[in-house]
Amino acid sequence: MSGNRRKAFLVSAALVGCAMLMTACQDTGSGAAKDAPSAGSSDSAGTSGSSAAGGQKDSAAKDSGEQGTLAGTGSNANGKIGACRTDELEVTAKDSTITGDNEGTVAVELKNGAGRDCSLSGYAGVDLKTNVGALSAKRTGEKAEPMVLKDGKSVYFGVHYPINTSGGSGVRVTGLVVTPPDETKSVTLNWPGAGSLPVSNGPDSPVKVGPLGSAGQGG
């Protein structure tokens, strides 16, 4: 091969090698750019940020819902015990007069049938039904302590009245009306005490009612 032809062949080979090297460099650079976007790419930051924020939002919403359910569960969530209602109490009365006493006594029982504990405080309202109209009992003035009446348990109070020793017919008692403390609904019972009261001309009622717990267990 002549000198000129050898020289031309070497130059041509060098050019081909350089072209191949440049192509490889471009392919490598293009792949790096495709596989690893720049840190400032809005697509990369937006996707990552949206995913993280969405996960936190879903988690927070779930936690908030569970806490709300727990906080709102149960009517006694604040720990307070509700008042005893007339419809939840079994009200009965029986004669509890002790021989030799100068007054008669009727013991009234309030039994909790609510299926829950409930609270009571103060005096019950008491009216006697008579042949001359209703006769309201007056409070004795004893201190009335608030109490929690356990489910199925009872509390008693006394109704005191003068015994008719006049020999006359007096005032005939036909019924007993009891209104539990802080209630407006009443219960009417048969009167278990003496059949009559002495006639009274005074302004004050001769019938007295004690606070809850003023009569002993069972009257």
Side-chain angles (χ1 to χ4, degrees), residues 10 18 27 31 42 72 74 92 150-151 154 175 188 197 215:
L10 291 175
C18 183
D27 288 343
S42 60
T92 57
K150 297 290 187 180
D151 181 36
S154 298
T188 301
L197 307 178

Side-chain angles (χ1 to χ4, degrees), residues 8-9 49-50 53 58 61 70 76-77 82 86 92 112 131 135 137 140 178 181-182:
F9 177 80
S50 175
D58 290 345
L70 292 174
N76 292 330
T86 301
T92 57
N112 183 1
N131 63 320
L135 181 62
T140 61
V178 177
D182 301 317

Side-chain angles (χ1 to χ4, degrees), residues 33-187:
K34 180 178 180 181
D35 293 340
S38 65
S41 170
S42 60
D43 289 344
S44 173
T47 301
S48 175
S50 175
S51 175
Q56 294 172 356
K57 183 177 180 181
D58 290 345
S59 176
K62 182 178 180 181
D63 291 343
S64 176
E66 291 175 352
Q67 291 171 359
T69 299
L70 292 174
T73 298
S75 58
N76 292 330
N78 57 7
K80 293 183 178 180
I81 296 177
C84 300
R85 300 304 179 192
T86 301
D87 290 337
E88 299 173 328
L89 297 171
E90 299 173 23
V91 185
T92 57
K94 70 176 184 179
D95 184 21
S96 189
T97 302
I98 298 176
T99 303
D101 282 356
N102 58 2
E103 66 178 4
T105 300
V106 166
V108 179
E109 176 184 4
L110 303 180
K111 183 176 181 180
N112 183 1
R116 63 177 177 87
D117 296 348
C118 59
S119 63
L120 285 169
S121 179
Y123 285 75
V126 171
D127 295 281
L128 270 58
K129 297 173 70 175
T130 76
N131 63 320
V132 294
L135 181 62
S136 296
K138 185 178 179 180
R139 295 177 179 183
T140 61
E142 299 171 71
K143 187 176 180 180
E145 297 289 350
M147 66 177 66
V148 173
L149 187 59
K150 297 290 187 180
D151 181 36
K153 299 300 182 180
S154 298
V155 64
Y156 300 81
F157 65 88
V159 179
H160 311 285
Y161 61 93
I163 296 174
N164 183 12
T165 58
S166 66
S169 60
V171 177
R172 290 187 293 108
V173 183
T174 59
L176 172 65
V177 181
V178 177
T179 307
D182 301 317
E183 278 288 272
T184 57
K185 186 174 182 179
S186 302
V187 176

